[in-house]
Amino acid sequence: MIERIAGCLEQRGRSLLRSPKKKLFRSRRYLHSAFWSHGASTINLPAWWVLLLQSPPSEENQPRKDRGPSTAGGIVLGLQGLFLDFLYPLQTRTLIRKLKRSANAHYQAAQSVKQCSRSYTSTATSLITNTGEGVNWLQREIEDHGSTGVEYDGKQARKRLHELLDEERTKTSCDALWQRYQDLSEQSEVLSSHELIRMLLCLRASKCSTDTERLLALFESIPIGERRAIHYNYAISAALELKDAQTAVYIQHEALSRLHSSVGTSAILRHAIMQNDWKLAIGTWQIFWNAGIGYYLQNDIWAGIEALPLSKQMEKAMNAADHAISEIESTGSRSPSAARDFAMELIKRAFQIKNIVFNVELWRQLHERLETFRGHDAALQTTALDIVSIEQALSLKPENFGSAALDEYCHLRHRDTNFVPSKQMLQSLLDRVVGSRKFTETMRIVVDDWRTYCGKLDVAVYVRMMKNVARNGDVDKVHELFKAYCTDHGKPQEDAVYHSLLQAHYRRADPEQAANVFDDLQRSHGFVPDVIGYNIIIRAFARVGDVEAVENWFEKLQMSGIKPDSNSYFSLMLVYSKRGDLDAVLETSQEATAAGLKRTLAMVDVLVLANVNDEKMVEAERLLEEALNMDLKGPRTHMWNIVLNAYALRKDLDQVTRLHRRMQKAGIPSDGMTYAALITSLSITKQPQLAYKVLKKLMPAVGVRPSVLHYATVMGGFFQTKEYGQVFLVYKDMLRHKFSPNLSTQNVLLRAAASVGETSVKEESDKEIDFTRARQVLDQTISNLDPSELTSTEPRKFVGPHRLDEAFTSTYFDYMIFLYGKAGAFDKVSEAYNQYLTTSHQFSQRDVESSPPMRMLSALLVAHKSAGNAEQIDQCWYLALHKCEILACKVSAKDLSQPNWVLPSRRFIINLPLQHYLGYLGDQSRFEDMVNVVNDLLRSGYDLTHHNWNTYIQYLTRSPTIPYKLLAFTLTESTLMPHWTGWEVMGRKPLDIKYRFRGRAKDALKDPAKRTPTYLTFVRLTAAYVELGFGRSRRRSEEAEKLESSGQVRRTLDAVRNLPFIDDWEQRTILNRGPYSDQEF
């Protein structure tokens, strides 16, 4: 038969196959010839096949009420006619089963099916009439089949049935098995109980819905009185598989009334809950709830639910609770409802499962639903549920589960004043308190309850609590626990108690206070210092980079008669290595070796760091290779990360890639800092989108968890490319992943907020500053400052060589002061500076007013320069010089009046304040002071950056004094021309020339030694060249003639003579207009 169809149904499926243009397909469907009257007689079928096509039996053969159900054939044979079930959708077959549920089930089912069956035109009616011709034909067919040797013996059919039951289950075997069953039914054979169960099991194992239908038909063929629990189980499962819940419930009710058992209830309950059919679920549950405790204690009704994963159980419990809340709110009733009781039962069963990890947020949401129930019914008691949930959370080790248990315990204590915790629960809670790094108000409640119900805390508990809280830098809580310890046990006998007090201040980056506590413990509590106590103080000063204090405390350690250990020498090496003082690091390392101490992994790490900071990258890599063969305990990852990060900061992506491959080849495992170096290299080279992909895709793929540092680095990359919207999006993504902002992220956010009005096409002078948005970010950041942030050992941006404790508050304010000063908002400058002093005093006892941080001094220089406060500018400059003496002085330098006392690694540290001070001196025409300042800096060992050298030379060309103009040419030749490649490579077009000059400036940032003159410097030198009369026999000064004839500035003069003509602001204003004024610079 050829049919026009819009699609072709897959077997037992519903997917439609259509062409892209929605054309109709012509599909040839082959049906069994029994479907057509003209083909029925051509098939080699057994004679009994025709019996199926006969008309309904006579009235005397119809089933009586007192006669048991027929076992002849289920749906197929029991209908007394051919039922082509494959032509009917699933819903129709479900309807047929509904119609069969009556006292005369099989008879009425047959009648119903005949009424709803399709009619087909056929000449087969002649075969199913009761005429003699039809009967005679049937008899002949039987004789013909019998003569061919085909026997329909019941024993043989049963034997074949057993063979099929023993075979492996396949679709073909199930079809054949059903055929053998029909053969037996034809022979009026009845399956034994064992055979029936095996056949049900076989059909149940099949994945085909046809076999599921057959299973139901087979079940229906079993007399009601002979049906057992296993039969009901199979039938209910089959009905649910066919999504016929009504049939499943009908069968379950029959089993309940006959067997007084919960057979099949578990499957129905699970099906209803999974489908969110709360009416069915509650109705099924209520049967047992109302039937009494004996039925309800049959836990098998919950077996299907308990087999679900815990997360799914919690999810469904919450769905049930939402349904109950919706029902209560819609009806406005405050009386207990079955929906609420059912939801609470599901919640209880979810809470009872222990030692399995679950979603804490989902767990908290379930408690929120219970709180809603209590709001609707004040008399509702949920204490038992709360206790079970707390015990569930305490059964798991991760910290977030312990925190959840502590929070819920606190809520329970406030809600139920009569609740008395068990000692076992308090012990478990106390263990979580001991293991936590934060001592919250909830933990205080647990400790107080322990004292109330169980007595004072043990010494070991105090020691563990103080140690863990100290790691989080919670100074106040550590001192509180110390006082409680002294109250309970008197003077501490354990050194670990004293060490925890010192450790808390170390973690807070507050070395001065740590030193005060160290001295106070000796005076007030009889603390006898040991090497660990001294090491904590030394390490605290080393952490903030205070070299002088580190050396003083190391000397105190030696004078106390206590022998320094490897950690003592490590702290000393660490503070030297951060400064890049390689000579001091090597000397300290030799002292440690002479003292008989073995070189540790941490010592090798600082040796690598010292070489990197001293710009000896080759030596640093050599140490990496040597460390592979050293007898060191622990992974070498950190030292490799140091070098990787150094190359990343130098914008050398090729070296980063090369070294990372070598690292992998050497078998060094990568960690978060390794990927931080990769992200840094991409962000600095203005590829933040690629850096973000590393963060979001590559790191999770390799199992490395991102940190705040990674997000801050990506944010910085987008800030550099002026994609300020992306900065905020990355920040939101970080918050969405439950990361807390820190100094690095907030500084980038502040700068992005201030620059949000800026576009890349605007000139520097036209940049818009959004003070309102920036101030909002600043106020929010300051209000949320958390000193515990300082406990993190991750590197932080915007700190640089400065003290960590100073940068913690100053980095935000110095930027705002810089912006206000640049904009001339001097009242805002004073306001921001006063707020900085107030904020700083809240977190540190240092006198930052008399010695502000370097960045703050630079910002104040800008502000005072804009305001024209000459006295304040000079004062800030001298403070900056003093600050640099502390940060850049060599350890070996004893007399700063001697030259070259500045560490090579810190030679550029003065350039930020110098940049603004040069501008101030130049604008005031204080050229002599300017020259003296630069000469003093160079003599001390400082060096100028590419930008400052060009700025300095440009100002010298503007001096009315000829020697200073000539000095500009001399300095250009000696400092800027060595890497000048000539005008030939700069191009001919003006845009190309400007573009290549910008590229040279970027190269100089990457490598300060590659500084070259800027375009403006050449224009200024050209103006001085004309004014001094170079190249002319007349008007040339004697000094200029001498300098030119000496050949000392030959390359500079050649470059100036060949300056290309460009019709731009610089050449029009500076070269074509006589004496130029200060405003033209």
Side-chain angles (χ1 to χ4, degrees):
M1 178 184 69
I2 299 177
E3 298 174 281
R4 282 187 174 275
I5 57 173
C8 180
L9 291 177
E10 296 177 350
Q11 182 159 345
R12 309 315 249 172
R14 296 291 183 267
S15 59
L16 296 175
L17 302 178
R18 288 182 178 269
S19 65
K21 296 184 179 181
K22 305 284 185 181
K23 292 183 179 180
L24 298 179
F25 287 100
R26 300 181 72 86
S27 173
R28 188 173 297 276
R29 178 186 291 177
Y30 295 96
L31 298 177
H32 197 285
S33 57
F35 183 77
W36 308 106
S37 61
H38 52 73
S41 61
T42 62
I43 307 176
N44 185 21
L45 292 174
W48 51 262
W49 177 267
V50 183
L51 294 175
L52 301 178
L53 301 178
Q54 289 183 359
S55 57
S58 60
E59 192 171 318
E60 62 180 3
N61 292 328
Q62 289 182 5
R64 298 192 306 271
K65 292 183 180 181
D66 57 347
R67 186 177 299 175
S70 169
T71 61
I75 268 185
V76 178
L77 298 178
L79 296 179
Q80 304 297 328
L82 182 61
F83 176 40
L84 301 174
D85 63 335
F86 63 87
L87 294 177
Y88 296 89
L90 184 61
Q91 294 82 351
T92 304
R93 297 199 297 273
T94 302
L95 175 62
I96 293 170
R97 283 193 296 276
K98 292 178 183 178
L99 294 172
K100 290 163 61 180
R101 297 182 201 123
S102 66
N104 281 331
H106 294 284
Y107 176 71
Q108 290 190 13
Q111 298 304 315
S112 301
V113 172
K114 281 190 173 293
Q115 291 172 11
C116 67
S117 299
R118 301 180 184 180
S119 299
Y120 302 97
T121 58
S122 173
T123 59
T125 53
S126 62
L127 299 178
I128 60 174
T129 59
N130 281 328
T131 61
E133 181 180 355
V135 174
N136 293 334
W137 179 86
L138 175 59
Q139 291 174 350
R140 288 196 301 270
E141 277 291 301
I142 295 176
E143 290 174 359
D144 290 342
H145 280 283
S147 64
T148 60
V150 178
E151 299 181 1
Y152 291 91
D153 182 72
K155 292 182 179 180
Q156 292 183 358
R158 191 176 298 277
K159 179 181 178 181
R160 180 56 181 154
L161 179 71
H162 287 178
E163 292 175 355
L164 291 171
L165 287 173
D166 294 334
E167 290 180 0
E168 185 179 353
R169 304 290 183 262
T170 62
K171 178 64 178 70
T172 305
S173 67
C174 287
D175 291 340
L177 183 65
W178 187 252
Q179 183 64 48
R180 297 289 79 76
Y181 166 69
Q182 290 179 321
D183 290 345
L184 283 174
S185 300
E186 179 66 16
Q187 297 296 326
S188 299
E189 294 285 343
V190 180
L191 295 180
S192 66
S193 176
H194 180 65
E195 291 171 336
L196 187 61
I197 292 175
R198 290 188 65 190
M199 189 161 180
L200 287 171
L201 182 61
C202 177
L203 294 174
R204 183 73 184 93
S206 174
K207 302 299 182 182
C208 179
S209 60
T210 301
D211 293 326
T212 307
E213 293 275 3
R214 288 168 176 170
L215 190 152
L216 277 178
L218 186 60
F219 170 78
E220 292 170 358
S221 71
I222 304 173
I224 293 179
E226 299 178 9
R227 293 175 182 174
R228 297 162 54 188
I230 192 171
H231 303 151
Y232 286 110
N233 255 329
Y234 284 140
I236 291 172
S237 298
L240 293 176
E241 189 174 326
L242 293 172
K243 299 181 180 179
D244 187 0
Q246 190 170 353
T247 296
V249 172
Y250 176 83
I251 298 172
Q252 183 253 351
H253 286 179
E254 179 186 307
L256 182 62
S257 61
R258 286 190 62 250
L259 306 180
H260 303 288
S261 170
S262 60
V263 60
T265 306
S266 170
I268 294 175
L269 196 59
R270 170 171 172 153
H271 171 83
I273 291 175
M274 293 301 293
Q275 298 298 321
N276 290 334
D277 188 348
W278 302 116
K279 181 178 179 180
L280 174 59
I282 296 170
T284 304
W285 169 75
Q286 274 188 305
I287 293 174
F288 292 88
W289 178 259
N290 296 332
I293 195 66
Y295 279 122
Y296 193 66
L297 288 179
Q298 296 184 17
N299 288 325
D300 57 338
I301 71 170
W302 300 101
I305 303 302
E306 292 172 353
L308 295 173
L310 179 55
S311 58
K312 180 59 70 174
Q313 291 189 49
M314 286 187 170
E315 177 187 337
K316 290 302 175 182
M318 191 167 64
N319 293 341
D322 290 338
H323 168 74
I325 292 171
S326 175
E327 182 180 282
I328 293 172
E329 292 176 349
S330 62
T331 59
S333 173
R334 292 186 175 272
S335 59
S337 67
R340 187 200 70 184
D341 293 339
F342 178 71
M344 290 182 64
E345 181 65 26
L346 285 179
I347 293 173
K348 183 187 78 171
R349 291 188 170 273
F351 283 162
Q352 286 175 338
I353 301 174
K354 299 180 180 179
N355 302 314
I356 295 180
V357 177
F358 56 85
N359 186 327
V360 175
E361 291 303 317
L362 203 56
W363 186 86
R364 294 182 188 275
Q365 290 174 17
L366 287 177
H367 279 285
E368 292 174 3
R369 301 307 190 272
L370 289 176
E371 185 65 32
T372 304
F373 287 154
R374 288 190 291 268
H376 289 293
D377 185 359
L380 181 63
Q381 293 294 325
T382 61
T383 300
L385 274 179
D386 295 328
I387 294 174
V388 171
S389 69
I390 293 171
E391 292 173 347
Q392 180 189 44
L394 290 174
S395 67
L396 299 170
K397 291 183 178 180
E399 185 177 351
N400 57 329
F401 296 106
S403 299
L406 288 168
D407 292 340
E408 185 54 35
Y409 176 80
C410 185
H411 295 157
L412 177 58
R413 292 285 287 109
H414 285 297
R415 188 169 57 249
D416 188 352
T417 56
N418 297 322
F419 168 65
V420 177
S422 65
K423 184 175 182 178
Q424 182 180 2
M425 176 180 288
L426 282 174
Q427 183 65 60
S428 299
L429 290 168
L430 193 61
D431 289 342
R432 293 311 180 103
V433 172
V434 169
S436 176
R437 293 188 178 184
K438 291 185 179 180
F439 191 78
T440 62
E441 185 62 30
T442 303
M443 296 178 181
R444 189 195 309 277
I445 292 175
V446 174
V447 172
D448 291 343
D449 284 351
W450 179 273
R451 290 197 179 104
T452 301
Y453 299 109
C454 306
K456 62 184 180 181
L457 297 173
D458 295 336
V459 171
V461 172
Y462 273 115
V463 172
R464 287 185 59 194
M465 288 174 61
M466 293 182 64
K467 185 179 295 184
N468 285 309
V469 174
R471 290 176 184 170
N472 199 50
D474 197 337
V475 174
D476 295 335
K477 295 298 188 296
V478 171
H479 282 275
E480 180 182 332
L481 289 171
F482 180 76
K483 292 179 180 178
Y485 178 101
C486 294
T487 301
D488 287 347
H489 301 284
K491 176 183 173 181
Q493 301 299 319
E494 297 76 15
D495 290 338
V497 175
Y498 301 112
H499 296 159
S500 296
L501 288 171
L502 301 176
Q503 186 78 11
H505 292 282
Y506 157 71
R507 299 292 291 182
R508 278 280 294 270
D510 191 0
E512 287 83 4
Q513 191 61 26
N516 293 336
V517 172
F518 185 87
D519 294 335
D520 181 66
L521 289 176
Q522 295 179 72
R523 291 191 304 268
S524 305
H525 298 277
F527 169 55
V528 179
D530 57 2
V531 67
I532 297 177
Y534 275 106
N535 284 344
I536 294 174
I537 304 300
I538 295 172
R539 184 73 178 274
F541 282 106
R543 190 164 184 240
V544 299
D546 193 335
V547 177
E548 183 178 359
V550 169
E551 293 176 336
N552 290 339
W553 278 92
F554 187 82
E555 186 177 352
K556 288 182 181 181
L557 170 61
Q558 292 176 316
M559 294 176 62
S560 68
I562 301 174
K563 182 179 179 181
D565 61 8
S566 58
N567 289 326
S568 310
Y569 285 101
F570 163 74
S571 298
L572 202 57
M573 293 171 66
L574 177 63
V575 72
Y576 293 152
S577 65
K578 286 182 177 180
R579 297 158 57 89
D581 196 339
L582 182 58
D583 294 336
V585 172
L586 293 175
E587 182 180 348
T588 306
S589 177
Q590 293 172 359
E591 291 178 6
T593 303
L597 297 174
K598 184 180 178 181
R599 179 177 288 184
T600 63
L601 178 65
M603 290 181 177
V604 179
D605 288 342
V606 296
L607 280 171
V608 173
L609 178 61
N611 279 280
V612 167
N613 287 338
D614 198 32
E615 301 179 3
K616 291 182 171 58
M617 300 301 294
V618 175
E619 182 64 21
E621 289 198 43
R622 185 187 65 79
L623 278 173
L624 295 181
E625 297 294 339
E626 290 181 357
L628 295 175
N629 300 317
M630 292 182 184
D631 182 19
L632 302 173
K633 293 182 180 180
R636 275 74 164 167
T637 305
H638 180 60
M639 62 180 72
W640 287 77
N641 288 341
I642 292 171
V643 183
L644 273 175
N645 189 64
Y647 281 128
L649 294 175
R650 287 166 171 77
K651 302 183 180 181
D652 199 336
L653 188 56
D654 293 336
Q655 291 292 349
V656 172
T657 304
R658 176 192 63 80
L659 190 62
H660 187 241
R661 288 175 179 171
R662 175 70 186 103
M663 180 178 177
Q664 292 175 320
K665 186 177 180 180
I668 306 298
S670 299
D671 61 7
M673 294 307 302
T674 308
Y675 288 95
L678 298 177
I679 291 174
T680 299
S681 63
L682 293 170
S683 298
I684 290 182
T685 54
K686 296 188 176 182
Q687 302 179 72
Q689 289 289 357
L690 190 54
Y692 199 27
K693 286 183 179 179
V694 173
L695 170 63
K696 298 295 292 181
K697 295 183 178 180
L698 179 58
M699 292 181 65
V702 298
V704 177
R705 188 174 185 271
S707 67
V708 182
L709 174 64
H710 301 99
Y711 282 96
T713 306
V714 174
M715 290 170 63
F718 282 118
F719 177 77
Q720 281 191 333
T721 57
K722 299 184 179 181
E723 298 176 77
Y724 306 120
Q726 287 296 114
V727 173
F728 293 103
L729 289 177
V730 174
Y731 182 76
K732 290 180 180 179
D733 183 40
M734 180 192 74
L735 297 179
R736 190 163 53 248
H737 286 82
K738 309 298 182 183
F739 289 105
S740 299
N742 67 0
L743 182 149
S744 302
T745 59
Q746 295 307 104
N747 268 285
V748 179
L749 198 68
L750 177 63
R751 285 154 174 77
S755 307
V756 74
E758 174 191 341
T759 62
S760 58
V761 298
K762 292 185 177 183
E763 296 295 334
E764 187 72 21
S765 58
D766 295 331
K767 290 182 179 178
E768 299 177 6
I769 300 176
D770 192 339
F771 288 112
T772 302
R773 185 190 294 264
R775 187 70 201 189
Q776 289 174 350
V777 174
L778 175 65
D779 292 341
Q780 182 181 5
T781 300
I782 298 304
S783 64
N784 295 328
L785 277 180
D786 183 4
S788 63
E789 176 196 328
L790 294 170
T791 63
S792 174
T793 58
E794 278 191 341
R796 295 170 177 82
K797 298 182 177 298
F798 305 99
V799 175
H802 312 294
R803 287 180 61 117
L804 176 60
D805 51 344
E806 291 180 347
F808 178 63
T809 54
S810 66
T811 52
Y812 309 110
F813 290 101
D814 61 39
Y815 184 69
M816 288 302 300
I817 290 172
F818 168 77
L819 294 179
Y820 287 140
K822 190 175 179 181
F826 307 119
D827 55 337
K828 294 293 184 181
V829 171
S830 299
E831 178 185 340
Y833 184 68
N834 291 330
Q835 186 181 3
Y836 159 67
L837 295 177
T838 303
T839 304
S840 179
H841 290 152
Q842 294 177 1
F843 298 99
S844 175
Q845 302 301 317
R846 290 180 55 79
D847 184 10
V848 294
E849 187 172 8
S850 61
S851 180
M854 180 70 70
R855 291 179 181 273
M856 181 63 68
L857 289 169
S858 300
L860 291 172
L861 266 172
V862 174
H864 292 312
K865 176 184 173 185
S866 300
N869 299 328
E871 184 179 351
Q872 296 294 330
I873 293 173
D874 288 332
Q875 182 181 356
C876 287
W877 170 247
Y878 293 128
L879 287 173
L881 284 176
H882 175 69
K883 202 75 173 179
C884 288
E885 289 178 2
I886 298 173
L887 295 173
C889 181
K890 294 179 181 178
V891 174
S892 57
K894 305 302 180 182
D895 185 4
L896 300 189
S897 63
Q898 299 298 317
N900 298 323
W901 52 265
V902 174
L903 286 165
S905 60
R906 296 285 176 93
R907 66 187 184 278
F908 295 109
I909 196 172
I910 193 65
N911 276 272
L912 184 58
L914 176 63
Q915 173 184 341
H916 307 301
Y917 194 56
L918 284 176
Y920 163 70
L921 294 176
D923 293 342
Q924 297 296 317
S925 298
R926 292 171 55 182
F927 298 106
E928 183 177 359
D929 291 339
M930 180 189 299
V931 172
N932 291 334
V933 165
V934 173
N935 288 340
D936 287 342
L937 293 176
L938 295 176
R939 181 176 178 276
S940 298
Y942 292 108
D943 197 358
L944 275 59
T945 61
H946 167 86
H947 174 80
N948 280 347
W949 270 119
N950 279 278
T951 301
Y952 178 46
I953 291 171
Q954 290 164 22
Y955 274 116
L956 289 176
T957 62
R958 299 173 56 188
S959 171
T961 306
I962 291 179
Y964 289 153
K965 289 183 181 291
L966 296 176
L967 179 61
F969 285 89
T970 304
L971 290 175
T972 301
E973 186 77 19
S974 60
T975 61
L976 301 181
M977 293 305 290
H979 289 88
W980 170 251
T981 55
W983 292 106
E984 296 80 4
V985 299
M986 302 300 290
R988 294 181 176 273
K989 297 180 179 179
L991 290 179
D992 292 341
I993 294 173
K994 296 287 186 72
Y995 175 78
R996 285 183 171 83
F997 269 112
R998 286 195 295 269
R1000 296 295 175 85
K1002 293 178 181 179
D1003 291 341
L1005 289 175
K1006 180 178 177 181
D1007 184 358
K1010 294 182 179 180
R1011 53 199 171 207
T1012 56
T1014 63
Y1015 173 71
L1016 182 59
T1017 298
F1018 276 124
V1019 174
R1020 289 289 184 187
L1021 287 170
T1022 302
Y1025 177 91
V1026 174
E1027 186 175 348
L1028 290 171
F1030 279 112
R1032 298 182 182 181
S1033 58
R1034 307 171 68 182
R1035 293 185 56 195
R1036 181 167 55 178
S1037 67
E1038 182 179 350
E1039 295 88 343
E1041 182 178 1
K1042 184 183 295 186
L1043 182 62
E1044 182 178 12
S1045 61
S1046 68
Q1048 296 177 4
V1049 293
R1050 179 181 54 82
R1051 296 189 64 196
T1052 303
L1053 294 178
D1054 289 344
V1056 169
R1057 293 189 190 104
N1058 294 307
L1059 173 70
F1061 171 74
I1062 299 176
D1063 187 15
D1064 57 8
W1065 177 91
E1066 288 86 353
Q1067 293 199 24
R1068 288 197 307 270
T1069 305
I1070 298 174
L1071 297 183
N1072 295 341
R1073 296 182 182 177
Y1076 42 92
S1077 63
D1078 293 339
Q1079 287 76 16
E1080 293 173 346
F1081 179 62

